[in-house]
Amino acid sequence: MLFTLILKQLKMLSRNKQPLIILLVMPLVLITILSNALGSIMDGEEEQAIQANLVIIDDSSWDQEKDAIVNFLQQQGLTGPALESLLLQFEKNDPAHILKNNILNSDEIKKYIKVEDKQKADMETLREDMKIDGILRIPANFRLDYIETAYFNKQKLLDLSLYLNQENEIRASIISSILTEWQSEYTKFLALSNAGVSPEQILNNQTSVEKIEQVLEANERKIPASIYYTVGMLVMFALYIPSFLAGFALQEVQWKVYDRILLAGVSPTWYTLSIFITGSLVAFIQQIIMLLFGRFALGIDWININAMIITIVSFSVFIGSLSALLTTLQFRTKTDGIANLFNGLVITVFSFLGGSFFSIRDLSETLGKIGDFTPNGATMSAILSIQKGQDLSVIWPFMTVIYVLVIICILLSIVFFPRRGVAE
Amino acid sequence: MLQAINLSKKFKTKEVVKQVNMEMPAGESIGLIGPNGAGKSTTISMLSSLIIPTSGEVLWDGKSITKDPDPLRKKLGVVPQEIALYPELSARENLAFFGRIYGLKGELLETRITEVLMKIGLSDRQRDIVKTFSGGMKRRLNIGAALLHRPSILIMDEPTVGIDPQSRAYILETVKQFVEEGMSLLYTSHYMEEVELLCDKVYIMDQGEIIAYGTKEELKELVSSNQTIELRVNLVNANFEKALTNQLPTAIVRTEEELLTISMPKNEEPLATIFAIAAENNVVITAAIVKVPSLEDVFLHLTGKALRD
């Protein structure tokens, strides 16, 4: 039943030129025009990916240094099982191994840093490659020197060298924050090792991820015109969906098709629910098309897909609830005045406050804050925050606004639905 | 049986239906006639459970439909005056939609659609978009959409408004078949001849009230017990008129150029006498019409206005 109603509404939308033009063609055309026309003004630099490229040149390895380490331990008077046991412990606690296999290989860190391992590579040649954001060189005797310093109180210089490509500050900062943290932690370990604390306990990923997030907060990704206007048009044109669906519903009442639907035993609640679901579905499809257009036509690299999905699903649910409310109000008034008012005035004001045309915050911080309380403004702010590289948690205040509005729309739909029947 | 008992409906302060009592026994065809604004559509909406009456009851098989309209709705097909279809969908898609919301699916739905398309004569246009249809085809599909769930009662509100005579004849023939197949019918129309053709009993409504009801013959009896004879003659002379008055003492004779109108009680058979008087007075009768009262006359008599006013 519900599926039949939804399918019929989708057919009505798809077979009318006006909704297709307004919901799909116009936003795509405007995104293209605005992104290109305003791109040179808004975009200071090229959009940059957030994942940093790190090359690790390890001039040695545990296996290569193992003989030297065994020699050193024998010189210290260790033999037999005691030596073997220590060897195992040292191998397990090797900071280079922990960096490469535990820290940089973790799923959380892999999102931010792509690692390439090279041995005996020429650092100077690598420096010329502008795609590389950082190069870490682990010297030949690093493991032996570390063991001597950490466990035998020898004061050896642990001479790691780190090169950072400053062409991209954010990516360089990400690498720097991780490696600084790693260095700092294993230095701490030098002091704590006598207390029997495992380096794995100290060198944990969570700390590294937090450091990266601090870097990202301090150096947000710049939002180019293509992203800004794709999001701006996406949230603005989704607002036209409710008035189309409410308009079709009013036509159904005027044509007496709605009477037929009621006579077939479809309750007004099911009917309104079908409008709600259709609105949500169409909004979701429309937004996906806009985002794909941005990806493939404008080359936008949408990041943090999970947060994006949460945001567009939430906004789609709002569009569904607004569709149900406008339908209810049109049923009550039996005119299309409400939808016309919404299309003509409310969408324009909301789009202005929400920042679809330009960043309203540049004009007034107060207006910007008000805009964050509009559904489109909240969604736009959430998506732009995500695209700046901010954490998922940044969207929750905006999602709270969206869901409060969803609840208000649903409650108003229930309150205003004509109790005595639409036919009267 | 569908019954309306003291049915009233008030919109704000205006009472549009007043104490209407109607009966629609199974298998009968009932006509509901009245001028625009008489309250026919509101009555139909209440009978079909779309509008809740302000007072009174609608009973289906003795049970009120106000609280539980579903048993009636399953048996009811309504053809509204409006073209209640989706113009952007094809004829078949429209029928499929209305069939599905009645719970039909799969092979049964396909069979019913094919059956209905045959009945309404649109099989060859089933894939065409409705907005490309003529008025008559839309009207036929409008009827078809009410038949998919095989209702036992069909309520039709002016189903032939604004269509060409050919389509109208097709629709009337189709509806007549439904009646002959035993379907109960409640039919409203401005065209009195349609009601005369299709309905066994007629309710006449004016200003929200049922002002008369009965079989067609019973209603015509209401009009008067007189008959009217119209004579067209080549030369009217005073003697002929005088002779008529003398020999037919109950007749009222009026002359208007070559047209002579004689009104007299219905139980008399005056034609032979009239022709004899004409021959005696050398008057040639070129045409003679004995007018039987029509429902239109009944309506005019009861309401003082023509049905299409």
Side-chain angles (χ1 to χ4, degrees):
Chain A
M1 179 81 71
L2 207 53
F3 176 74
T4 303
L5 291 168
I6 293 166
L7 188 68
K8 178 263 302 171
Q9 280 148 0
L10 290 176
K11 277 184 182 172
M12 285 173 77
L13 263 178
S14 64
R15 292 190 188 173
N16 276 279
K17 279 181 193 159
Q18 201 192 3
L20 284 180
I21 290 170
I22 292 181
L23 300 182
L24 277 183
V25 180
M26 269 178 70
L28 294 180
V29 169
L30 281 172
I31 288 167
T32 311
I33 293 171
L34 291 171
S35 300
N36 288 306
L38 301 177
S40 55
I41 300 167
M42 284 187 70
D43 306 350
E45 57 187 278
E46 289 286 303
E47 184 201 340
Q48 288 154 346
I50 215 78
Q51 198 182 43
N53 290 312
L54 170 68
V55 173
I56 297 178
I57 305 169
D58 196 342
D59 289 336
S60 179
S61 69
W62 177 261
D63 290 339
Q64 284 171 352
E65 287 192 60
K66 191 176 175 183
D67 290 345
I69 292 167
V70 168
N71 280 339
F72 170 74
L73 291 177
Q74 285 170 343
Q75 283 167 18
Q76 302 305 312
L78 293 159
T79 53
L83 186 144
E84 289 301 321
S85 162
L86 264 179
L87 260 183
L88 274 175
Q89 191 192 336
F90 293 161
E91 186 179 3
K92 190 179 156 202
N93 294 346
D94 171 17
H97 175 84
I98 289 171
L99 174 69
K100 287 196 272 185
N101 297 298
N102 292 16
I103 298 175
L104 295 175
N105 201 35
S106 75
D107 288 340
E108 295 96 329
I109 303 291
K110 273 203 265 187
K111 281 192 291 189
Y112 300 106
I113 301 180
K114 188 179 165 195
V115 181
E116 196 181 348
D117 251 323
K118 291 204 169 166
Q119 286 203 321
K120 311 285 181 192
D122 179 13
M123 197 142 173
E124 289 310 313
T125 315
L126 290 174
R127 275 183 181 192
E128 285 166 18
D129 185 346
M130 296 314 287
K131 286 181 188 162
I132 296 171
D133 300 298
I135 305 166
L136 174 70
R137 176 158 229 151
I138 300 171
N141 296 318
F142 176 76
R143 290 165 184 85
L144 178 59
D145 290 348
Y146 176 76
I147 288 165
E148 289 182 22
T149 309
Y151 301 96
F152 297 94
N153 289 324
K154 314 262 180 200
Q155 295 302 313
K156 288 286 179 90
L157 183 65
L158 300 172
D159 192 18
L160 287 164
S161 58
L162 175 65
Y163 161 77
L164 292 171
N165 179 354
Q166 294 300 334
E167 280 293 313
N168 187 306
E169 283 179 34
I170 304 174
R171 294 200 289 254
S173 300
I174 289 171
I175 293 172
S176 168
S177 72
I178 292 266
L179 296 180
T180 308
E181 185 65 17
W182 169 67
Q183 271 184 305
S184 143
E185 295 299 339
Y186 80 69
T187 308
K188 247 190 259 171
F189 172 71
L190 296 179
L192 292 171
S193 59
N194 287 338
V197 180
S198 149
E200 280 174 332
Q201 283 173 267
I202 301 167
L203 297 168
N204 63 77
N205 298 337
Q206 188 52 40
T207 316
S208 306
V209 171
E210 281 166 13
K211 290 282 168 190
I212 290 171
E213 283 163 356
Q214 283 165 15
V215 168
L216 291 175
E217 265 178 43
N219 297 280
E220 288 176 346
R221 184 166 77 144
K222 192 168 170 55
I223 296 294
S226 55
I227 291 184
Y228 190 89
Y229 285 109
T230 302
V231 179
M233 295 302 111
L234 174 150
V235 294
M236 183 171 105
F237 281 92
L239 291 175
Y240 285 98
I241 295 169
S243 52
F244 279 118
L245 291 178
F248 289 147
L250 183 66
Q251 278 181 337
E252 287 184 323
V253 171
Q254 289 165 344
W255 295 340
K256 304 284 179 190
V257 177
Y258 182 72
D259 286 355
R260 283 199 154 147
I261 293 172
L262 289 184
L263 287 171
V266 179
S267 73
T269 310
W270 278 98
Y271 180 82
T272 315
L273 185 63
S274 78
I275 301 270
F276 170 77
I277 295 173
T278 309
S280 304
L281 197 62
V282 173
F284 184 75
I285 294 168
Q286 186 200 33
Q287 290 175 88
I288 292 292
I289 291 172
M290 302 290 138
L291 294 176
L292 289 175
F293 179 79
R295 174 74 191 90
F296 294 108
L298 304 174
I300 298 170
D301 179 20
W302 301 109
I303 58 168
N304 203 343
I305 298 301
N306 290 342
M308 288 289 283
I309 287 173
I310 291 170
T311 308
I312 63 169
V313 166
S314 302
F315 187 51
S316 302
V317 170
F318 167 76
I319 294 294
S321 66
L322 185 62
S323 305
L325 176 60
L326 282 191
T327 301
T328 297
L329 292 176
Q330 296 219 130
F331 274 13
R332 199 173 182 85
T333 58
K334 289 183 195 159
T335 69
D336 55 3
I338 300 277
N340 288 341
L341 180 75
F342 186 80
N343 274 1
L345 185 68
V346 179
I347 293 181
T348 311
V349 173
F350 273 23
S351 301
F352 173 75
L353 289 173
S356 282
F357 306 124
F358 61 93
S359 175
I360 193 80
R361 266 175 225 284
D362 294 347
L363 201 68
S364 153
E365 187 61 30
T366 309
L367 284 177
K369 280 182 183 163
I370 294 170
D372 282 346
F373 285 97
T374 62
N376 53 308
T379 306
M380 190 167 176
S381 294
I383 296 178
L384 292 182
S385 300
I386 296 163
Q387 294 311 310
K388 280 176 184 168
Q390 292 180 13
D391 181 48
L392 177 71
S393 62
V394 79
I395 70 170
W396 299 132
F398 301 118
M399 293 305 102
T400 306
V401 171
I402 295 283
Y403 282 106
V404 166
L405 291 169
V406 168
I407 291 166
I408 291 171
C409 286
I410 290 173
L411 288 178
L412 289 176
S413 300
I414 294 167
V415 169
F416 285 117
F417 200 90
R419 292 281 172 279
R420 296 183 65 81
V422 179
E424 296 189 33
Chain B
M1 182 164 72
L2 186 63
Q3 286 171 287
I5 303 188
N6 297 327
L7 212 54
S8 297
K9 183 69 192 175
K10 225 179 203 178
F11 290 119
K12 292 183 183 167
T13 55
K14 196 182 176 196
E15 199 171 14
V16 294
V17 176
K18 301 167 193 167
Q19 298 289 313
V20 163
N21 287 285
M22 284 178 79
E23 271 189 4
M24 207 178 149
E28 280 195 17
S29 52
I30 307 289
L32 178 61
I33 57 174
N36 287 333
K40 299 189 301 290
S41 294
T42 307
T43 304
I44 283 180
S45 293
M46 286 191 284
L47 284 172
S48 55
S49 77
L50 284 168
I51 289 183
I52 301 165
T54 309
S55 64
E57 277 285 6
V58 177
L59 303 180
W60 166 246
D61 284 345
K63 287 175 190 162
S64 169
I65 64 157
T66 313
K67 283 180 188 161
D68 184 16
D70 287 349
L72 169 68
R73 285 178 175 180
K74 281 177 190 158
K75 298 281 179 187
L76 184 69
V78 176
V79 181
Q81 192 175 335
E82 295 80 2
I83 304 289
L85 301 166
Y86 294 103
E88 311 292 341
L89 306 188
S90 71
R92 196 174 184 91
E93 283 173 329
N94 266 286
L95 293 178
F97 170 73
F98 291 116
R100 280 195 196 101
I101 59 172
Y102 272 101
L104 302 174
K105 52 191 170 184
E107 210 172 300
L108 177 64
L109 176 66
E110 293 303 312
T111 312
R112 293 279 178 90
I113 293 172
T114 309
E115 195 179 286
V116 167
L117 283 166
M118 290 270 283
K119 269 187 184 164
I120 58 175
L122 287 175
S123 297
D124 56 335
R125 298 290 302 270
Q126 58 178 293
R127 307 274 172 203
D128 292 354
I129 300 295
V130 169
K131 67 179 177 188
T132 64
F133 282 10
S134 68
M137 288 162 74
K138 284 178 189 168
R139 287 271 164 211
R140 279 188 268 158
L141 187 60
N142 206 29
I143 295 170
L147 300 174
L148 284 154
H149 61 294
R150 290 195 179 153
S152 56
I153 313 172
L154 190 62
I155 296 181
M156 304 181 95
D157 190 3
E158 312 251 5
T160 58
V161 167
I163 55 168
D164 58 280
Q166 205 179 354
S167 295
R168 195 170 152 220
Y170 189 97
I171 288 173
L172 289 177
E173 195 50 48
T174 312
V175 177
K176 207 175 166 194
Q177 271 179 28
F178 299 154
V179 174
E180 282 165 7
E181 285 164 12
M183 191 184 275
S184 307
L185 177 73
L186 176 59
Y187 193 93
T188 80
S189 177
H190 273 144
Y191 301 107
M192 204 61 74
E193 63 274 21
E194 292 181 3
V195 177
E196 291 219 53
L197 175 76
L198 297 170
C199 303
D200 308 320
K201 277 186 184 164
V202 179
Y203 285 82
I204 299 178
M205 198 170 188
D206 191 34
Q207 295 182 345
E209 290 177 285
I210 298 291
I211 53 172
Y213 72 95
T215 61
K216 287 174 276 189
E217 291 71 26
E218 282 168 349
L219 283 173
K220 285 170 190 172
E221 282 295 322
L222 285 176
V223 180
S224 74
S225 50
N226 282 7
Q227 58 182 320
T228 304
I229 300 157
E230 284 180 358
L231 300 176
R232 200 161 286 279
V233 294
N234 60 351
L235 273 172
V236 181
N237 63 50
N239 290 341
F240 176 56
E241 205 175 327
K242 201 176 170 184
L244 281 175
T245 315
N246 289 337
Q247 291 189 38
L248 299 168
T250 55
I252 301 165
V253 181
R254 280 175 291 146
T255 313
E256 198 179 316
E257 296 179 357
E258 293 186 345
L259 185 70
L260 218 85
T261 309
I262 304 163
S263 291
M264 61 188 303
K266 213 174 174 184
N267 51 6
E268 293 184 28
E269 295 288 345
L271 277 181
T273 314
I274 291 169
F275 277 96
I277 297 168
E280 283 167 16
N281 292 281
N282 297 319
V283 171
V284 179
I285 296 173
T286 53
I289 302 166
V290 180
K291 282 187 76 181
V292 178
S294 66
L295 282 177
E296 188 88 39
D297 298 322
V298 176
F299 192 79
L300 192 63
H301 172 76
L302 291 171
T303 65
K305 53 196 165 191
L307 191 55
R308 290 178 190 81
D309 287 350

